[in-house]
Amino acid sequence: MKQTGQSFQQKKEAVNRYWHVIDVKGQILGKSATQIATLLIGKHKPTYTPHVDGGDYVVVINASLVAVSGKKRSDKVYYTHSQYPGGLKAETFDKKLARQPKQIIENAVWGMLPTNKLRDLRMKRLKVFKDAEHPYTNEVSENK
């Protein structure tokens, strides 16, 4: 009997990675994080295979100029805990943006990635920069 529709399984050795630059200046945080996560996972490629890390590199620029909708700028709170009694610290979006703009983007993308063994590998391919300057211009220009 002839088999017609075979499913495609990408091999990890056959993965081609490209570099993407995303400027988040004035962009909404959640929408940008969704776009970045899609590129890191590799869902934009026709060779997407769920168990193979086939995503691309993503360079995010102007992280300090990212926007949020509504009253999130003053109401959104980031929590950290030192694991000691009374060690809970809270920081609003505005203060976090002034202090650590890279971490805001990384936390948003981290939450959009699937919780599996590939999450850390995908996050290593995310490069976030506070302003428009980045050291990956050679890699990005080789894509074209």
Side-chain angles (χ1 to χ4, degrees), residues 2 4 11-12 16 42 49 51 56 60 62 71 84 88-89 92 108 117 137 140 142-143:
K2 186 176 178 184
T4 55
K11 305 284 188 267
K12 66 179 179 180
N16 292 326
T49 306
H51 65 277
D56 293 338
V60 179
N62 292 323
K71 295 193 299 182
Y84 286 99
L88 182 66
K89 292 181 182 177
T92 63
K117 293 179 180 181
T137 51
V140 173
E142 288 175 6
N143 279 349

Side-chain angles (χ1 to χ4, degrees), residues 118-130:
L118 300 176
R119 184 189 243 184
D120 288 331
L121 296 173
R122 290 170 174 157
M123 284 300 292
K124 285 182 183 176
R125 289 197 312 274
L126 174 64
K127 316 294 183 189
V128 183
F129 296 96
K130 181 179 171 180

Side-chain angles (χ1 to χ4, degrees), residues 35-93:
Q35 181 185 9
I36 293 165
T38 302
L39 293 172
L40 289 174
I41 294 169
K43 279 196 165 186
H44 64 289
K45 296 181 177 183
T47 57
Y48 170 69
T49 306
H51 65 277
V52 176
D53 187 18
D56 293 338
Y57 289 90
V58 178
V59 178
V60 179
I61 57 174
N62 292 323
S64 61
L65 302 173
V66 71
V68 288
S69 59
K71 295 193 299 182
K72 292 187 192 103
R73 194 167 274 288
S74 59
D75 292 353
K76 185 172 178 64
V77 180
Y78 291 92
Y79 294 100
T80 56
H81 201 288
S82 66
Q83 301 301 318
Y84 286 99
L88 182 66
K89 292 181 182 177
E91 193 172 25
T92 63
F93 178 84

